[in-house]
Amino acid sequence: MPDQPRVLCTRRMPPNVEARLARDYDATLNPEERVYSEDGLVTGSEGMDGILCAGGDPLNAGAVERLSGSVRIIATYSVGYEHVAVGAAKARGIVVTNTPDVLNDATADVAMLCLLGAARRGAEGDRMVRAGEWLGWHSTMMLGVHVTGKRLGILGMGRIGRAVARRARGFDMEIHYCNRSRLAPGLEDGAVWHDTPESLLAVSDFLSINAPSTPETRNFLDAERIACLPDGAVVVNTARGDLVDDDALIDALRSGKVAAAGLDVFAGEPNLDPRYRGLDNTFLLPHIGSASLETRDAMGYCCLDNLDAFFAGRPCPNAL
Ligand code: 8YV
């Protein structure tokens, strides 16, 4: 229909999301999964009223400043929005929205998968079986790090961090956390608050990183902070790769200071530091935290709800 708002969708979306997008918008979809560069986004924005983008799309200040004047909303199909220059967008009167909440459970599930996979050597065992190298049982074969009763330190006790805590309580873990501010008792639910990251790290037999990527958190887990962890700690990251100093973590995995790491996110992904691949004590996933169909549909509907509200002149439920 000619009077529908025009929306550039930078990624292929689940069928239900694309169907609703095509029904309610004059949508430019991306069935061939073309990768949009900064210039590609600028060119593609010509005549568009809105952009539905995803994590990793380079909507940095340089790109946002050059977007077509027709663009009035950017809806990112992600909870994290470090790839969008929100300040530059606001300065141009462009609304930016994200998808909080709908991916908490799926992401927390993958945090537990990484925690267990790293602690109990999931990837190594899988490789052994597939390679036909499993020659029989013995009592000290593939011993891992015991989970029950251990202390789990959660960096970033937002909605995802709290969903991780709920799951970890089911494994009888003792929950500690560090957050900008202490949570109300109901949200804390017995977790122990630490007012400094160093104090959290000192008790983290397991560390789960669940904080967003911001100028303050980038490179959070560096050599100095790794030194604060108990020997043989397990590190889990399902937030953003740039919170970890790869050189420092790889050194610690090699020395055994960190017994194992379960990582779903990487600096520069998908081009992760290749040294991770060569380490037996890593459990590596390709950024699948939110990758269940239910969650990916819900993320798409969340973007569409924001677009619908915006173009109907209502406040967007998830405006940043
Ligand atoms: C997305 C994510 O899959 O929501 C986020 O911040 O990291 C993932 O759920 C990814 O960013 C693609 O948009």
Side-chain angles (χ1 to χ4, degrees):
M1 273 187 275
D3 54 352
Q4 287 178 316
R6 296 194 65 190
V7 172
L8 170 69
C9 181
T10 65
R11 306 294 182 107
R12 198 161 115 192
M13 292 285 153
N16 290 335
V17 176
E18 289 197 344
R20 190 172 139 187
L21 194 54
R23 184 194 66 193
D24 297 340
Y25 292 90
D26 181 356
T28 300
L29 301 177
N30 189 0
E32 278 141 24
E33 302 193 76
R34 160 185 175 194
V35 177
Y36 278 90
S37 63
E38 204 179 305
D39 286 344
L41 288 166
V42 171
T43 314
S45 72
E46 270 318 309
M48 295 293 161
D49 299 295
I51 298 178
L52 201 172
C53 69
D57 288 343
L59 281 159
N60 51 44
V64 167
E65 278 154 18
R66 293 189 295 133
L67 288 178
S68 162
S70 58
V71 174
R72 289 176 289 145
I73 179 167
I74 297 171
T76 183
Y77 183 85
S78 59
V79 64
Y81 51 86
E82 72 287 347
H83 55 290
V84 183
V86 178
K90 283 187 179 164
R92 295 196 59 192
I94 301 172
V95 171
V96 182
T97 66
N98 71 338
T99 64
D101 278 328
V102 292
L103 41 67
N104 299 345
D105 288 326
T107 308
D109 287 348
V110 167
M112 291 309 292
L113 175 64
C114 287
L115 186 155
L116 294 168
R120 300 301 301 274
R121 304 170 64 173
E124 210 184 331
D126 181 86
R127 280 194 298 272
M128 180 194 274
V129 174
R130 285 176 200 277
E133 287 167 2
W134 179 32
L135 302 177
W137 183 90
H138 61 89
S139 67
T140 55
M141 185 187 115
M142 286 208 62
L143 299 182
V145 180
H146 194 68
V147 171
T148 306
K150 296 283 175 68
R151 300 166 296 181
L152 170 65
I154 299 179
L155 180 81
M157 195 68 152
R159 288 167 284 220
I160 297 174
R162 297 200 297 276
V164 173
R166 282 197 296 279
R167 283 156 177 74
R169 284 188 193 100
F171 286 83
D172 291 334
M173 300 188 87
E174 186 183 296
I175 314 299
H176 295 251
Y177 74 98
C178 181
N179 208 41
R180 268 169 308 198
S181 52
R182 185 169 181 174
L183 301 180
L187 293 178
E188 212 170 55
D189 201 10
V192 181
W193 182 60
H194 293 257
D195 59 355
T196 65
E198 289 71 23
S199 150
L200 177 78
L201 293 167
V203 299
S204 296
D205 302 317
F206 287 76
L207 173 71
S208 176
I209 300 178
N210 296 105
S213 168
T214 64
E216 293 76 43
T217 61
R218 270 168 219 147
N219 236 30
F220 166 80
L221 195 63
D222 59 11
E224 225 169 286
R225 293 229 170 87
I226 287 175
C228 298
L229 288 167
D231 291 345
V234 173
V235 170
V236 171
N237 189 5
T238 52
R240 285 293 182 264
D242 61 9
L243 270 72
V244 170
D245 173 342
D246 288 331
D247 285 335
L249 182 58
I250 288 164
D251 281 352
L253 285 162
R254 284 182 173 155
S255 72
K257 168 69 189 176
V258 168
L263 307 173
D264 182 46
V265 290
F266 303 89
E269 62 188 42
N271 303 314
L272 63 149
D273 190 314
R275 293 174 295 172
Y276 283 122
R277 297 195 191 105
L279 290 168
D280 270 339
N281 52 351
T282 54
F283 180 84
L284 309 175
L285 294 177
H287 199 151
I288 55 166
S290 63
S292 71
L293 183 56
E294 289 87 341
T295 300
R296 290 284 164 84
D297 274 350
M299 290 166 70
Y301 299 152
C302 182
C303 292
L304 284 158
D305 290 347
N306 280 288
L307 291 170
D308 292 354
F310 180 81
F311 289 113
R314 299 190 309 268
C316 295
N318 309 109
L320 295 169

